[in-house]
Amino acid sequence: LQQKQIMGSTLIILAFVLGAVNAATPSQWQREVIYQLLTDRFAHPSNPTSACGDLHNYCGGTWQAAVSKLGYVQQLGGTAMWISPIPDNVEKGYHGYWQQNMTQVNAHFGSSQDLQSFVNESHKRQMKVMVDVVINHVGPQVNGNNADFSPFTPFNQASDYHSYCIIQNFNDPQQVQNCRLADLPDLAQENPSVASYLQQWMIDALKLYQFDGIRFDTVLEVPLDYWKQYTAAIGDIYTVGEVDDGDPAINAPYQGALSGTLNYPMYWALRHAFQEKSSMHGISTQWNQVEADFNDVKLLGLFVDNHDNPRFLSINPDQTALKNALAWILFAEGIPIIYYGTEQGFNGADDPANREDLWHSNYNTNSDLFTFIQSLTTFRHQLPDSFFQQEQLERYVLDDFYCYVRGSVIVATTNGGQGHSTGAQVPDLPFQDGTVLKDILDSSYTITINGGNASISVANGLPRVLSVVSEVVYS
């Protein structure tokens, strides 16, 4: 395919002038805190203060407006941003997952120059940009004719797609990979022209926009062998995929073809424990399985909210419970992802309710959750590189208490909620006797190591994040 087919020939020429891809390798992502945003919902060029009236359609967010809010993300502690897919979409494709013309960017979000400016301004702030990419399907056939592919570019022939069928059994890989998800036309990656176009599109987009990482949608719906071929073609860049299944054994095989997956197994374990108040032994069981199945858990994406699942606060309105889940992911092995609006206490349930506009919050940097996350990320960014190579070691579990240590940090959490108190005598802490650790969230609370043990309690349902303040060193 000619490169002029990918999002405009003038800008492709500019990409070659700019030189090599700015992609960041997997290891370069381990320190990051990713802020996931929906481009249409993050920042509006006219700065309205009232909420968007129709969450099923475009609300008006743009890349250009997002530039003015980079400082907001940075103040929260976000060091990387995951943005919506960029191609032109069919009508009402505000989320970006209904691509129609891959040779054009989504004009609702702005121009190619606007996108370049957004990435460039992010890089000036030492912030990475991760782009969301769909290679499984295109948008719905709004004319109702499932045999008419003429609205799509470049995939406008029936041979570009699998034969018509709808996924009925998500436990059947043949159906999942060859039939339609939500009646969206399913691309045939075994067709050489489809396969090569998808790869070249990504290569050219990386050169043009200088993205640092890629999040892939609907990974289960594309054959694993093609993922291996695809990622080998695009080079050494951090890739994380949506394998929307809570079973580690289903997720883990995709690490290798991809740098990692979104850690859905831990999402469900954390949801059951912190949102639904199930026993925290479930976290222990699932974490042990995740560690056993994956090659490198440090490259998985950890999250408690996203655009596909009901927000935490829609299930459990207690912000104290949410604080515990956030503390857990921000220091655990993996790359934490904060979904936009979590810091403002958004509580939308099923989509599109969980895809609220952010501007009606007035980007409040004094909200309780914003300052809580900010405290944790500020501390996280001060940790040495060695911390991010350390293992997370579980140290004590009760139905209402979970404590782990990682490097010089102890994290103690509870699912009891506001007003709850619990704790334990925690053994096998890797510190010298006499070492003092202080809670970064409550400076009046300290513990002292004695015989490798310490009594750790939580009060009013809040987590503890304990850091060494004085360490005994024996000569």
Side-chain angles (χ1 to χ4, degrees), residues 27 72 109 131 172 224 290 338 345 356 409 431 474:
S27 63
Y72 170 85
F109 300 161
V131 65
D172 180 352
L224 178 57
V290 166
I338 306 297
E356 310 95 321
V409 179
F431 304 98
Y474 297 104

Side-chain angles (χ1 to χ4, degrees), residues 49 76 78 192 202 228 284 319 371 471:
T49 55
L76 180 67
M202 191 73 257
K228 294 175 181 177
S284 177
Q319 292 191 5
T371 56
E471 188 167 10

Side-chain angles (χ1 to χ4, degrees), residues 159-223:
S159 59
D160 296 327
Y161 300 88
H162 293 130
S163 299
Y164 184 83
C165 58
I166 302 292
I167 300 174
Q168 303 291 338
N169 180 5
F170 283 89
N171 294 316
D172 180 352
Q174 287 293 334
Q175 281 194 39
V176 170
Q177 293 175 9
N178 294 290
C179 295
R180 296 185 177 201
L181 175 70
D183 202 19
L184 299 172
D186 198 69
L187 288 166
Q189 293 84 13
E190 67 273 16
N191 180 327
S193 65
V194 173
S196 62
Y197 185 91
L198 292 171
Q199 293 166 33
Q200 192 62 48
W201 182 93
M202 191 73 257
I203 292 166
D204 290 339
L206 290 172
K207 288 178 179 176
L208 174 55
Y209 299 112
Q210 301 287 291
F211 295 122
D212 305 281
I214 309 166
R215 181 267 187 183
F216 287 112
D217 187 61
T218 48
V219 166
L220 276 173
E221 284 73 18
V222 175

